[in-house]
Amino acid sequence: MRSILAGVGSYLPERIVTNDELARRLETSDSWIADRTGIRQRHIASDRETCAFMAAEASRAALRNAGAGPDDVDAIILATSTPDQAFPASALRVQAMLGVRHGFGFDLSAACTGFIYALSIADSMIRSGQIRGALVIGSELYSRIVNWQDRGTCVLFGDGAGAIFVRAGDRNDKRGVLSTHLHAQGTLGDILYVDGAVGRPDRPGHLVMNGREVFRHAVTRLAEAVEEALAANGLKRTDVDWLVPHQANRRIIEAMGRKLGLPPERVVITVDRHANTSAASVPLALDDAWRDGRIKRGDLVLLEALGGGLTWGSSLVRI
Ligand code: COA
């Protein structure tokens, strides 16, 4: 069995907050943020636009795009660090909102690498014959966990959701997920973390980051993950049509593009408009390039991400 990427969808909150708007209430500027990260604006969720709400909207779009319906969904795997509630899993709120009446679902916590982890699990379950169709979602509201007094972190993040629908295809099918590669190093847990949780009575938690350390690890780990994905499939850098990276920082993204020898127009960038939407960033970027017709059937797409944990991973997908 192969997992075919049958449809993609996304959702962004209505409210857009520009760097200039942030500069009115924080000691920062559009040029500081844009020069270091490429970010110019981010979407910020309203009270109505929760993790499950945005995930359900993105999933509806992905199912529509795939020509599929609720009865085709055997599993809902939702990557998030900002669920609506400790439980039920937001994946199951999505199940209810979509009218999916069978199968199962769960939330997955791997910070910004969550979507790659979720894709890997869905792909394994499809390959083993356990399921035939899965919604793989990233939905995040970092606006709820950033410290809005900390200009070093709050300017970097945004809210949103992206989803794909993957279904079982034929083993002889050339399309589909070729491989996924997951990594983690728990000893680096303190360079990017949230200092609390739903279970903590004192505080729900704020994001804390050592930006320089994260930057340093991102460049080396992601380069390794990209090489690993190519080697596992006996492919060369020149075989890759598109790089769809996690959208944290334009400088990291461009460094990865150069490593692959890809021209800038073959690297999908949304960080300027979305900022870092954590687990939602890869499917949001994929949807961006899919909807406007850049990514086409037959293209070889390399996905990669790195985030708190430290977690990182990659996946090669033939569309
Ligand atoms: N506006 C203006 N000044 C700011 C600022 C802001 N929003 N945030 C920080 N500064 C100031 C700092 O206070 C510091 O001032 P000082 O020199 O007077 O102490 C100065 O800018 C430099 O701060 P520093 O944190 O060293 O900047 P940097 O060049 O390392 O850039 C990041 C910071 C976050 C942009 C960069 O480290 C980065 O992109 N890291 C990777 C982060 C990432 O990808 N995280 C997500 C992974 S999933």
Side-chain angles (χ1 to χ4, degrees), residues 244-319:
V244 182
H246 172 47
Q247 308 284 322
N249 182 307
R250 194 175 187 117
R251 287 185 294 157
I252 299 174
I253 295 171
E254 286 174 348
M256 296 311 299
R258 282 196 298 276
K259 242 184 167 69
L260 278 167
L262 279 174
E265 62 274 16
R266 290 270 155 181
V267 180
V268 179
I269 294 190
T270 52
V271 71
D272 53 333
R273 288 165 286 144
H274 303 168
N276 182 347
T277 57
S278 191
S281 95
V282 169
L284 267 163
L286 186 63
D287 191 42
D288 202 63
W290 177 294
R291 251 182 312 125
D292 67 19
R294 272 178 288 166
I295 293 182
K296 296 189 176 60
R297 288 267 174 238
D299 284 352
L300 185 66
V301 178
L302 180 55
L303 315 175
E304 46 92 332
L306 174 136
L310 206 68
T311 53
W312 66 99
S314 61
S315 178
L316 265 171
V317 184
R318 177 80 63 191
I319 300 297

Side-chain angles (χ1 to χ4, degrees), residues 33-47:
I33 301 169
D35 289 351
R36 280 177 179 70
T37 68
I39 297 165
R40 310 232 61 143
Q41 63 172 46
R42 71 282 298 136
H43 292 250
I44 301 290
S46 65
D47 289 349

Side-chain angles (χ1 to χ4, degrees), residues 27-28 32 36-37 112 151-152 155-156 192 209 211-212 214-215 246 248-249 252 276 306-307:
E27 208 179 306
T28 188
W32 194 97
R36 280 177 179 70
T37 68
C112 300
R151 64 178 181 169
V155 302
L156 304 174
L192 175 54
M209 178 173 73
R212 292 230 165 144
V214 173
F215 196 104
H246 172 47
N249 182 307
I252 299 174
N276 182 347
L306 174 136

Side-chain angles (χ1 to χ4, degrees), residues 52-74:
F53 174 90
M54 297 196 300
E57 290 295 313
S59 298
R60 277 191 195 100
L63 288 174
R64 237 185 349 261
N65 184 235
D71 292 346
D72 301 310
V73 180
D74 301 323

